[in-house]
Amino acid sequence: MKLASLKTNQEGQSSRDGYLVVVDRSLRFQVDVSHIAENMQQALDSWANVAPVLQAIYVSLNQGRVQNAQPFDVTQCLSPLPRAYHWADASAYVNHVELVRKARGAAMPESFWHDPLMYQGGSDTFLTPNQDICMPTTDWGIDFEAELAVITDDVPFGVSAQNAQQHIKLLMLVNDVSLRNLIPAELAKGFGFYQSKPSSSFSPVAVTPDELASNWRDGKAHLPMRCYLNDELFGQPNAGIDMTFNFYQLVAHAAKTRALAAGTIIGSGTVSNCDRALGSCCIAEQRMLEILEFGQAKTSFLQFGDTVKIEMQDEQGATIFGAIQQKVTRRAES
């Protein structure tokens, strides 16, 4: 099943939480289901009751049996969850962490291989899939980070990794925008990210895990994450390879000391493979490889006018989530 949140409903009314639509598998048609659940959060709050109804509509939509279907316009999409109660991002590809630390001469604690890194990010203002990354300066080191994320229903306190899998209801792509030049000073304070992690963006569509068929297994999505910078392929590492902690483990980690509310988003961290020939899902990693090889970075962080595209396709080349497509623009001084 594929779901999206639109900026306006059929009557032209707008809502900051969006209006829920079911989207067909090819991302060509949609049907308004806001009479069943007005928005994504309402659907997640009552997932056990609502999901079977939405699934039946999805099947009918794919069979061409929904009379009131409309063309799906990705430019009208908000984030699947335009704002969320909880957004936690991990760093599940530990080889990525090791590489970044190695380039700056920092040893990596052995614990990183068996205890996930995770931080809680801002979830009140997510960007739309096509919204500009608008910053006042490029001196902050603007970077993209291509990731996968899961959305859960209510997760009990202390859930095990084995039981966590039943609470993963939806998957989506993430561009976890980072301001690299602000990170060192923030982390040096010993209190984590804040200013260096502005609003993230998510794919137009969130999908149930079964949409990935056999490519969703062991809590991982075994498909390439394709990233384009200014329309040129930047990287396509496989999201299922070299993922040290799967999503079941990440959800369990987040719930170790608290229950998680329905609508919680858990990110994988930047997708990264040990096979460097597949490229990178962020500029920082590419720069680290350049430092190790040449003694200095050659690739600049994002500049005004640069474009970023993040997408995942199935084996037939069909887009699964739709694409995150963003441009870096200058924010006027206020």
Side-chain angles (χ1 to χ4, degrees), residues 51-128:
V53 181
L54 299 180
Q55 176 66 28
I57 293 172
Y58 179 66
V59 171
S60 296
L61 184 61
N62 284 314
Q63 294 173 344
R65 294 190 291 108
V66 177
Q67 294 183 350
N68 60 338
Q70 300 292 323
F72 178 57
D73 183 357
V74 70
T75 65
Q76 297 305 305
C77 286
L78 298 169
S79 167
L81 277 171
R83 52 180 174 170
Y85 291 121
H86 194 158
W87 156 232
D89 199 16
S91 194
Y93 298 85
V94 178
N95 62 284
H96 166 77
V97 181
E98 185 176 40
L99 174 65
V100 172
R101 293 178 70 92
K102 181 178 180 180
R104 67 171 189 260
M108 193 179 77
E110 191 275 333
S111 64
F112 282 19
W113 291 100
H114 55 79
D115 188 23
L117 291 171
M118 187 175 287
Y119 77 94
Q120 189 167 348
S123 58
D124 52 335
T125 57
F126 292 140
L127 302 179
T128 74

Side-chain angles (χ1 to χ4, degrees), residues 237-305:
N238 190 298
I241 298 174
D242 302 318
M243 188 181 189
T244 309
F245 305 101
N246 65 29
F247 277 112
Y248 307 153
Q249 293 169 303
L250 296 181
V251 171
H253 181 82
K256 180 177 180 178
T257 61
R258 70 182 84 177
L260 307 178
T264 291
I265 304 170
I266 305 289
S268 66
T270 308
V271 175
S272 179
N273 287 172
C274 293
D275 182 358
R276 301 305 177 190
L278 294 172
S280 301
C281 280
C282 68
I283 294 173
E285 183 172 290
Q286 176 63 29
R287 285 170 60 88
M288 294 307 109
L289 290 169
E290 292 166 351
I291 290 171
L292 293 172
E293 184 174 357
F294 306 113
Q296 62 180 5
K298 297 184 176 183
T299 304
S300 66
F301 289 119
L302 295 173
Q303 304 298 307
F304 294 131

Side-chain angles (χ1 to χ4, degrees), residues 296-315:
Q296 62 180 5
K298 297 184 176 183
T299 304
S300 66
F301 289 119
L302 295 173
Q303 304 298 307
F304 294 131
D306 283 347
T307 60
V308 174
K309 180 180 177 181
I310 298 169
E311 189 174 30
M312 182 172 279
Q313 299 171 332
D314 62 21
E315 290 93 340

Side-chain angles (χ1 to χ4, degrees), residues 116-272:
L117 291 171
M118 187 175 287
Y119 77 94
Q120 189 167 348
S123 58
D124 52 335
T125 57
F126 292 140
L127 302 179
T128 74
N130 300 108
Q131 190 171 349
D132 288 350
I133 301 169
C134 191
M135 292 290 159
T137 178
T138 58
D139 293 342
W140 289 344
I142 308 166
D143 198 0
F144 64 90
E145 291 190 64
E147 310 180 10
L148 273 158
V150 298
I151 307 177
T152 73
D153 63 2
D154 287 305
V155 180
F157 187 131
V159 71
S160 67
Q162 181 178 358
N163 291 332
Q165 59 183 298
Q166 68 192 37
H167 296 287
I168 292 174
K169 301 306 178 186
L170 295 166
L171 306 172
M172 54 185 178
L173 305 183
V174 190
N175 181 11
D176 180 41
V177 182
S178 293
L179 304 177
R180 298 295 187 183
N181 294 339
L182 300 186
I183 288 177
E186 281 205 307
L187 294 185
K189 296 177 182 179
F191 217 55
F193 303 113
Y194 193 82
Q195 291 178 334
S196 55
K197 290 290 187 177
S199 297
S200 299
S201 55
F202 296 84
S203 52
V205 170
V207 311
T208 49
D210 62 304
E211 286 296 321
L212 274 62
S214 63
N215 293 308
W216 173 255
R217 59 185 185 273
D218 303 321
K220 303 176 184 180
H222 294 262
L223 287 167
M225 179 73 78
R226 291 191 167 90
C227 305
Y228 299 83
L229 177 58
N230 297 324
D231 298 323
E232 293 188 4
L233 184 65
F234 193 84
Q236 51 181 344
N238 190 298
I241 298 174
D242 302 318
M243 188 181 189
T244 309
F245 305 101
N246 65 29
F247 277 112
Y248 307 153
Q249 293 169 303
L250 296 181
V251 171
H253 181 82
K256 180 177 180 178
T257 61
R258 70 182 84 177
L260 307 178
T264 291
I265 304 170
I266 305 289
S268 66
T270 308
V271 175
S272 179

